[in-house]
Structure formats: C-alpha cells, structure tokens
Amino acid sequence: MSNITKPAGDVSTDTAVIRALRKMRAPQTQRNRELGLLIFVFLINGAAVALVQLGATDALDWTFLIYCGTLTAIVLALHILLRLRARDADPFVVPIATLLTGLGIAEIYRLDIYWDRHGWDSFSTRQLVWAGIALGCALIVAYALRNYRVLFRYTYIFGFVGIALLLLPFIPFLSTNANANVWISVGIFSFQPGELAKIALAIFFAGYLVRTRESLTSVGTKFLGLTWPRARELGPLMVVWLISLAIIVLQRDLGTGVLIFGMFVVMLYVATGKTSWVLMGLVLVVAAALVATQILPYVRSRFENWIYAFDPAVIEAPGGSYQLVQGIFGMANGGLLGTGLGQGRPYLTPVAESDYIFPSLGEELGLIGAFAILCLYIIFTSRGIRIGLAGQDDFGKLLATGLSFTIGLQVFIMVGGVTRVIPLTGLTTPFLAAGGSSLVANWIIVAILLRISDAVRSRPRVVIG
C-alpha cells in the first residue's frame, strides 16, 4: 500500500482556520440593543433642547446644541468601551441614565433662558461640564474595575472613607455654611461629599453583611411568628441608626440620614431574608421621626409645611410651604399633556432647577411626561435589582441591590416630597437635578452596575432577559 500524505500547507491551513474560529465571537446582541436605544435617546435629548429654544425664544441656538453633542460623543465612547471590555453588560442602564441626564439639562437650560443667565453663571453650562466629568468618571470606573470583587478586599477601608466623607463639611475652611451642613467648597466648585459617601457605605455594608450573615441568620428569638435577632446582632443596626440620627442632627440633612439607613435595612433584609429586620428598621425610623420633630426645629418645620401646606400663615412664613405650593400649582397647570417645553412657567417656583426639577418637568411635559420619567426610574431600579438577584456572588448581589435601591429610594423621597406624599427633604432627583456631586455619584453607580451585570451574564446558568 502506498502512503498518502497531506500537503504540508493543509496542516497550516487547518490550524489557521481553527485559530480564526476560536477568535470568532458571538454577535454582541446586548451592545447592539444598547446602541439602538442610545440613538433613540440622542434624538429625544436633541429634540428636547431644540423645543426649549423654540418655545422660549422662537429661535435655535446651535452653539448649545453643539455643546450637548460633546456629551453624546462621551456616551458613545462609553458604549465603545463596553463593546471592548464588558460586552455582556446590561443594555438598558446607560440609555436610561443618558435620557434622564439630557432631559434635566434641557429643563435647566429652559430656566437659564428665562433668567438670562449666560456663561459660567448659567446652571446649564455648569451641568454640562459636570455631566462630562461624571461620564469621564464612569469611563474610568468601567475600564479600571475589571473585577468588581476586588472591592470586597477593602470593605472596612470603604467604611472609613464613607464616614470621613460625611465628616468633611465640619472642616471650617471647606464648609460652605449653606442651609444644611452637607456642602464643601474647593476652589470654584461646591461639592456634596455625602453623594460619594453613599457609594462607599454601600460597598462597606455589602462586604460586612457577607462576612457576618451567618451570625445574623442562624440565631434569634421566636415572637409573633417571626425570628427576632439577639441583642448582639442588633449592634450594627443600632450603629447605622445612630449615624443617621447624627447626620440629621448635626448636618441638618434629613434626606441623607433616611437614605443611608434605608439602604442598610434593605441590604440587611436581602442578606438574611428576615422580615423582622425590616420591621425593626421601620420601628427605628418612626421613633427617630417622633423624637426629631419634638427636639429639632428644622425637622418640625418640615412636618408642619407638609401637613399645613395650604394654610396661608404657613405659606407666608419664612421657610414655609411657599415653594411646595408653587410646585404643586405648577404641575396642576401642566395638566395631562403639559404646557410644552419652553412654554410653561417653572421659574415661579424657587430653586426650580435643582430641588424642584421634577415639578418643572411635570408642568411642561404634563402628567404623561411625569409618569414616563418615573417609569424610567422604575426600569433602572428594577434592572439593577435583577442584576443583583441573578448573580451567584453574594457580595455582587448585595452591592447591586443596595446601589439600585438607593436610586429608587432617593427618587421616592424627592418626588414624594415635592408632590406632598411625604415631608420634603434635602435630596436631589438623580440625574435630573442641577448639581455636580449627585451626577458624578450616580454615573459611578451606573459604571459599577455595568461591571456587575457583565460578570453575571458571562457566567453559565445565569440568564437575564
């Protein structure tokens, strides 16, 4: 029999083909979906700015539209980075955050037009700059944080950083002496360190609960059908409760105290699955509210403005409910369909570009537009929680759930306050309101969620639709 040999070239050809097949990657379905949504979002944001200009001035200002285009370029850069580094990341998070940021800039710009603010004196210019910084921070985090589990190693360091950030406003040469002691001033910029503190504390809470979950769930006392924790397990809850009270008392910041405590209680419930922790948290919140209204004039006035909002004496009193009532009347003026962007009168409400950005948009976009914005927040929060619950890593599960719930709780506190569902606090509406610190912190949360979702999707047996 004669030996039949393959040509030498066939072996190399086969090897090259196999090598090419190995390099082939599945179509980036998630990123293609994200790109399609982003294109749609860019059109909405551009149209919103154009409608503001036409409604308020009957003319287009291409300069501001070009400035907004630079943000579009940075978002596209983030999208390209995700294609290269995190191709399985959630496709809805970035488009939703981009749309909310763009709508906020458009409404802030509308108020600048009325008040004839230009250059660095205009809130919209500063918001554009802060949005660029925030997106840059998101790019850095998404690139550098290749494995989010590395954060678990520095659990207690993040706890220390979070507390240190909350204490920064007490440093004399940094404090801005605002209504609430939560701002610091560095050069021409004012910053609210509590916004970054919530991220650091979320990482600390997640790491701490992963380490101590067994002791929190394995023992307890049965009462009323629920397993209640022992005194020693109540220690962390009481410490966080006292920190939240200290924030309310010393910094005159009701919102941040409620936000941090609420985030911890929810993460505690996710870690242990015990309803008793939630009930304990609610009891402590009610107790803190009752004590604060009795001994703190700041908190008592907030409750009085909430309960007696339409009392003429309360409306006309210094620090009364005038702002709250004006915001409610503005949303009522918008009706179902709104007055149209650039054609309402949101400028009648004090601080309409920050604390009352939601009523401003509610007036010009109407009830339908306000519900659409709330739906965006609901989708954002639900995607984040779904990322966490689908993960197999306890630390990532707690971190994603805590950060997502923080956004949802902040929206509830702020929107509930301006619509008189609950007493008004000093928080900002995420992504929408004027303010650089909030925007930077929220885009960092976006980047962390993207990294966690990419890790979750890359694992077998885990599917997120």
Side-chain angles (χ1 to χ4, degrees):
M1 295 179 63
S2 59
N3 293 329
I4 301 176
T5 59
K6 285 186 177 182
D10 289 353
V11 176
S12 60
T13 302
D14 290 344
T15 304
V17 171
I18 293 173
R19 189 183 302 115
L21 289 172
R22 288 176 178 173
K23 289 183 178 180
M24 287 181 63
R25 303 174 69 182
Q28 297 193 20
T29 306
Q30 305 300 332
R31 301 280 64 78
N32 294 337
R33 184 183 299 175
E34 179 183 78
L35 180 60
L37 291 172
L38 282 176
I39 293 173
F40 183 60
V41 165
F42 295 152
L43 293 175
I44 294 177
N45 287 343
V49 174
L51 287 172
V52 163
Q53 294 174 346
L54 292 174
T57 65
D58 293 325
L60 289 175
D61 181 4
W62 292 101
T63 303
F64 193 80
L65 285 170
I66 293 173
Y67 290 159
C68 294
T70 59
L71 294 183
T72 300
I74 301 176
V75 174
L76 287 175
L78 177 60
H79 169 75
I80 294 172
L81 174 65
L82 295 177
R83 279 189 176 272
L84 299 175
R85 298 286 184 178
R87 65 191 187 98
D88 293 318
D90 190 273
F92 296 97
V93 174
V94 173
I96 292 174
T98 303
L99 179 56
L100 291 170
T101 303
L103 289 176
I105 290 173
E107 189 61 26
I108 295 167
Y109 178 53
R110 185 265 175 279
L111 293 163
D112 284 337
I113 291 176
Y114 175 81
W115 293 111
D116 197 26
R117 294 185 292 231
H118 302 283
W120 192 248
D121 292 331
S122 67
F123 286 95
S124 56
T125 300
R126 279 181 273 178
Q127 190 75 352
L128 279 170
V129 173
W130 277 114
I133 295 173
L135 284 164
C137 291
L139 275 166
I140 294 172
V141 172
Y143 176 80
L145 191 65
R146 300 189 180 186
N147 184 2
Y148 70 89
R149 297 173 191 85
V150 73
L151 300 175
F152 182 70
R153 302 176 188 173
Y154 308 102
T155 296
Y156 295 101
I157 293 178
F158 277 107
F160 174 78
V161 170
I163 298 299
L165 287 170
L166 292 175
L167 294 176
L168 279 181
F170 293 106
I171 300 176
F173 62 88
L174 292 178
S175 178
T176 60
N177 294 321
N179 291 331
N181 299 322
V182 296
W183 293 89
I184 62 173
S185 179
V186 181
I188 61 174
F189 291 103
S190 294
F191 199 80
Q192 190 174 354
E195 291 289 342
L196 292 178
K198 69 184 181 184
I199 300 177
L201 291 176
I203 297 172
F204 167 69
F205 292 155
Y208 174 81
L209 291 173
V210 168
R211 287 179 167 90
T212 61
R213 184 176 59 179
E214 292 300 324
S215 62
L216 293 172
T217 57
S218 59
V219 292
T221 303
K222 280 281 187 179
F223 181 67
L224 296 178
L226 297 172
T227 303
W228 298 88
R230 298 181 306 179
R232 69 179 67 176
E233 277 77 40
L234 280 176
L237 183 65
M238 298 304 297
V239 169
V240 177
W241 181 64
L242 291 174
I243 291 174
S244 302
L245 278 181
I247 294 171
I248 296 172
V249 174
L250 300 177
Q251 295 189 345
R252 296 168 52 84
D253 186 11
L254 181 62
T256 302
V258 173
L259 185 67
I260 291 175
F261 186 71
M263 175 177 63
F264 179 70
V265 170
V266 166
M267 294 175 71
L268 189 59
Y269 172 71
V270 173
T272 63
K274 285 188 174 183
T275 309
S276 56
W277 285 111
V278 179
L279 296 177
M280 287 289 297
L282 292 175
V283 170
L284 290 174
V285 167
V286 173
L290 292 175
V291 173
T293 53
Q294 297 299 318
I295 65 176
L296 297 176
Y298 160 73
V299 178
R300 184 167 58 250
S301 66
R302 294 281 179 146
F303 275 85
E304 289 176 352
N305 292 342
W306 172 51
I307 298 173
Y308 308 106
F310 293 94
D311 187 333
V314 177
I315 294 175
E316 297 172 3
S321 61
Y322 175 79
Q323 185 186 35
L324 174 62
V325 171
Q326 284 295 104
I328 293 174
F329 283 158
M331 289 186 286
N333 181 52
L336 184 64
L337 300 177
T339 60
L341 286 171
Q343 298 183 353
R345 295 185 295 172
Y347 46 81
L348 295 178
T349 304
V351 203
E353 63 279 339
S354 56
D355 290 357
Y356 274 73
I357 189 70
F358 185 80
S360 300
L361 286 165
E363 178 180 355
E364 299 201 334
L365 297 179
L367 184 63
I368 293 177
F371 276 162
I373 291 173
L374 292 178
C375 286
L376 290 175
Y377 282 119
I378 292 173
I379 296 172
F380 183 95
T381 304
S382 64
R383 295 302 294 186
I385 293 176
R386 193 174 184 182
I387 290 167
L389 296 181
Q392 301 170 17
D393 171 56
D394 291 336
F395 176 73
K397 179 182 298 185
L398 288 173
L399 183 57
T401 303
L403 291 175
S404 303
F405 177 80
T406 300
I407 297 291
L409 180 60
Q410 191 166 339
V411 172
F412 171 76
I413 291 173
M414 198 60 222
V415 175
V418 299
T419 55
R420 204 178 166 226
V421 174
I422 59 175
L424 186 66
T425 64
L427 293 175
T428 58
T429 310
F431 300 107
L432 287 177
S437 50
S438 175
L439 201 57
V440 170
N442 291 323
W443 272 102
I444 290 176
I445 289 176
V446 167
I448 295 174
L449 290 176
L450 289 171
R451 271 304 180 185
I452 296 175
S453 64
D454 177 60
V456 169
R457 287 178 182 274
S458 299
R459 293 184 177 186
R461 299 182 291 111
V462 177
V463 178
I464 302 178

